[in-house]
């Protein structure tokens, strides 16, 4: 038997550890570690940009072992939003008129069966119809496009309707920022100035703040 040639022990890569950090301030409620090293604990207050889950842990001999940082850190935080909703707004409204166009597709070719579409970018809906004879599909299809007429009209909202819309827009913004947010409380203020309702809300929520 021959001894295998000796090789120098490779050095552990050194440098700035990149893991999961806090996207905002908050107080940690619970953690769930999937990989890496948890750097915070429930009850701890964290600041935006602070490390939450690291990518390395140290063995007893001081050797660093790297692993992808994965997991969640759910914290309680305050999130605020500002929305403005006009009480009068010009919006497109359906006129009740519509035009239907048909186009035949066969053997990689197409042919219009009706006049061309009306000018403008109106509201339209398209569907494809498979032609059949005695229940057997034919090697062709018809595309049906319905164009619905619209015209611009001035629409008026009451303050109650504007407030409802502002709340909905605020909730959508919250969902975009924290899709898993659990709402604990909401404080809101609204004023009407220059024919618009101005809405300000502060939500107290629990959400995953890892980024």
């Amino acid at each position: 038997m021959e001894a295998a040639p000796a090789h120098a022990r490779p050095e552990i890569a050194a440098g700035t550890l990149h893991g999961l950090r806090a996207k905002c301030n908050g107080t940690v409620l619970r953690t769930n570690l999937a990989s890496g090293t948890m750097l915070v604990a429930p009850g701890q207050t964290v600041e935006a940009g602070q490390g939450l889950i690291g990518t390395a842990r140290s063995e007893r001999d001081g050797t660093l072992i790297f692993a992808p940082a994965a997991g969640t850190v759910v914290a309680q935080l305050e999130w605020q939003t500002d929305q403005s909703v006009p009480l009068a707004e010009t919006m497109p409204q359906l006129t009740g008129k519509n035009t239907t166009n048909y186009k035949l597709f066969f053997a990689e070719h197409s042919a219009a069966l009706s006049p061309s579409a009306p000018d403008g970018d109106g509201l339209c809906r398209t569907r494809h119809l498979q032609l059949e004879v005695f229940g057997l599909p034919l090697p062709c299809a018809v595309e049906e496009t319905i164009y619905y007429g619209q015209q611009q009209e001035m629409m008026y909202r009451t303050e109650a309707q504007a407030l409802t819309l502002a709340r909905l827009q605020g909730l959508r913004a919250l969902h975009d920022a924290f899709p898993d947010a659990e709402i604990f409380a909401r404080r809101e203020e609204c004023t009407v100035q220059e024919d618009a309702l101005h809405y300000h809300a502060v939500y107290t929520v629990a959400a995953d703040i890892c980024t």
Side-chain angles (χ1 to χ4, degrees), residues 54-98:
T55 59
R57 59 185 177 87
S58 178
E59 292 294 299
R60 293 182 178 179
D61 61 357
T63 302
L64 292 179
I65 298 179
F66 290 82
T72 59
V73 175
V74 176
Q76 180 174 320
L77 59 109
E78 286 193 344
W79 181 88
Q80 60 183 354
T81 181
D82 291 283
Q83 306 290 335
S84 293
V85 178
L87 299 179
E89 184 176 10
T90 301
M91 302 177 62
Q93 298 295 310
L94 295 175
T95 62
K97 299 180 180 180
N98 60 73

Side-chain angles (χ1 to χ4, degrees), residues 157-172:
R157 302 185 180 95
T158 65
E159 292 185 14
Q161 292 171 334
L163 177 58
T164 299
L165 181 57
R167 286 172 175 164
L168 178 60
Q169 293 174 348
L171 288 173
R172 286 176 177 172

Side-chain angles (χ1 to χ4, degrees), residues 14 16 42 46 63 73 82-84 95 104 108 118 139 152 184 204 210:
T16 302
V46 297
T63 302
V73 175
D82 291 283
Q83 306 290 335
S84 293
T95 62
L104 178 65
E108 300 183 356
Q152 297 291 327
F184 293 153
T204 301
C210 288

